[in-house]
Amino acid sequence: QVQLVESGGGLVQPGGSLRLSCAVSGVTLAYYVVGWFRQGPGKEREGVSCISSAGDTTYYTHSVKGRFTISKDDAKNTVYLQMNNLKPEDTAIYYCATDYFWICNPNNPDATMRATLDYWGRGTQVTVSS
């Protein structure tokens, strides 16, 4: 019943921007942590960002810090990932995910972003190329 649907991906030039959306249904978003992950060609899945249920705690992997911003709109049941100054190495399929007892804990990012999560979207392709 829990569903997540990503949108907003596309082809952009280096330095460009995209805003990804993750529409969540089946749960009350105000009670859930949501994270963004990505997987580039030939690479392992990487945890990009997460946001706490209250929206007051966020985490970003080092490579996107200062360029990406995660946010949420509980009224719209949607989580966003604003991506600025995109680089070719950002090219990947971007997924959002959640689970009942997941906590976004920047003090333990490895455990946070390697947690086994039950609910995933199908992904949206982001391609950064000139």
Side-chain angles (χ1 to χ4, degrees), residues 20-83:
L20 306 184
S21 297
C22 175
V24 181
S25 61
V27 298
T28 301
L29 184 59
Y31 300 147
Y32 282 83
V33 169
V34 174
W36 286 96
F37 301 78
R38 66 185 181 185
Q39 188 166 23
K43 298 181 180 179
E44 295 182 342
R45 188 179 67 203
E46 176 187 25
V48 176
S49 182
C50 61
I51 186 166
S52 64
S53 57
D56 57 354
T57 300
T58 58
Y59 161 78
Y60 302 93
T61 193
H62 182 266
S63 64
V64 310
K65 196 170 298 182
R67 299 188 297 120
F68 290 11
T69 303
I70 190 170
S71 62
K72 65 185 309 198
D73 186 339
D74 289 338
K76 296 182 178 180
N77 299 305
T78 301
V79 176
Y80 304 97
L81 186 68
Q82 178 67 47
M83 306 186 297

Side-chain angles (χ1 to χ4, degrees), residues 4-11 18 20-21 35-49 64 68 81 83 86-97 120-128:
L4 303 93
V5 180
E6 304 93 340
S7 62
L11 174 64
L18 285 172
L20 306 184
S21 297
W36 286 96
F37 301 78
R38 66 185 181 185
Q39 188 166 23
K43 298 181 180 179
E44 295 182 342
R45 188 179 67 203
E46 176 187 25
V48 176
S49 182
V64 310
F68 290 11
L81 186 68
M83 306 186 297
L86 284 161
K87 303 176 180 181
E89 51 263 42
D90 296 317
T91 295
I93 302 174
Y94 284 72
Y95 304 87
C96 58
W120 293 80
R122 293 187 177 184
T124 185
Q125 177 71 50
V126 172
T127 303
V128 185

Side-chain angles (χ1 to χ4, degrees), residues 113-126:
M113 304 309 288
R114 293 177 66 89
T116 300
L117 306 175
D118 283 345
Y119 304 107
W120 293 80
R122 293 187 177 184
T124 185
Q125 177 71 50
V126 172

